[in-house]
């Protein structure tokens, strides 16, 4: 491959520890709305919400509607009220992935240009980026909610590359999702570094990771 000059990062469960973030938010959510329940029951409901969330890959409208229907409210709570609580509070629970900031700093010192490409609502994703103090590390940030297209649509990778100012042969994509990050970026012409998290690799995919890591610290020995 040609010399790597730029790196595109995913956000959720790559730079932000979404598992910890969503668990923290869910705990606040249950305490706020279901504080009338016994503590053990509240913990059970937190675990149930985490399962229903499916690592964030549920349609949010459907997810909030389901919670409105199934949770043991003292008084009924509408999907719109759940959405409002989520929009107001979720970003403030953001937790960094281990070695995220150190790795970004190291890569910038090595001379790489860094960009961020993430799926999600604009206000939520910007809120997380700012809460985690990540914005200053990136030359460009592309969010699907602003772009009107989402990973793994090839057009959003091309948009991210254009904003970063490099071609796909000069850029490596780093993310945790086999399809949205590695396969999608590969179809757009980029090599991918797969951060193994919650999604097992699908051997039927016609794009394979260039490298596989279990911790962002491992980027130091690759790039």
């Amino acid at each position: 491959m040609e010399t790597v000059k730029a790196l595109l990062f995913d956000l959720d469960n790559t730079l932000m520890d979404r598992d910890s973030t969503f668990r923290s938010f869910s705990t606040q959510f249950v305490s706020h709305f279901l504080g009338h329940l016994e503590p053990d029951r509240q913990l059970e409901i937190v675990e149930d919400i985490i399962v229903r969330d499916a690592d964030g890959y549920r349609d949010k409208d459907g997810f909030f509607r389901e919670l409105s229907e199934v949770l043991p409210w003292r008084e009924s709570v509408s999907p719109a009220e759940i959405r409002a609580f989520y929009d107001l509070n979720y970003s403030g629970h953001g937790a960094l992935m281990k070695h995220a900031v150190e790795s970004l700093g190291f890569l910038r010192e090595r001379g790489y240009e860094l960009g961020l490409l993430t799926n999600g609502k604009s206000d939520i994703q910007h809120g997380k980026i700012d809460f985690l103090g990540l914005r200053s590390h990136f030359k460009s940030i592309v969010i699907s909610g602003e772009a009107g297209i989402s990973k793994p649509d090839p057009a959003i990778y091309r948009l991210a590359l254009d904003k970063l100012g490099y071609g796909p042969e000069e850029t490596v994509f780093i993310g945790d999702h086999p399809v949205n990050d590695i396969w999608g970026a590969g179809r757009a012409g980029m090599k991918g570094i797969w951060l193994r998290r919650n999604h097992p690799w699908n051997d039927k995919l016609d794009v394979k990771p260039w490298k596989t890591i279990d911790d962002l610290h491992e980027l130091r020995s690759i790039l």
Side-chain angles (χ1 to χ4, degrees), residues 173-215:
F173 197 99
I174 301 159
D176 72 296
H177 198 279
V179 174
N180 286 356
D181 296 326
I182 306 307
W183 181 81
R187 299 282 285 183
M190 284 179 276
K191 299 287 188 182
I193 297 177
W194 179 42
L195 175 62
R196 278 189 289 220
R197 290 287 291 172
N198 300 333
H199 302 280
W201 188 260
N202 182 348
D203 289 329
K204 295 181 180 179
L205 294 176
D206 59 358
V207 171
K208 305 298 181 186
W210 175 51
K211 302 287 184 181
T212 299
I213 60 175
D214 296 298
D215 189 297

Side-chain angles (χ1 to χ4, degrees), residues 161-179:
L161 288 167
D162 287 345
K163 286 184 174 292
L164 194 53
Y166 291 91
E169 71 284 350
E170 302 172 294
T171 308
V172 169
F173 197 99
I174 301 159
D176 72 296
H177 198 279
V179 174

Side-chain angles (χ1 to χ4, degrees), residues 38-69:
E38 292 296 321
D40 286 350
R41 180 62 178 135
Q42 291 186 42
L43 290 175
E44 290 176 359
I45 292 174
V46 168
E47 296 302 323
D48 180 61
I49 290 172
I50 289 170
V51 171
R52 292 177 187 274
D53 170 67
D55 202 34
Y57 285 90
R58 288 282 306 275
D59 168 71
K60 285 294 185 290
D61 289 338
F63 177 52
F64 296 147
R65 184 167 56 251
E66 181 178 307
L67 294 184
S68 176
E69 293 170 354

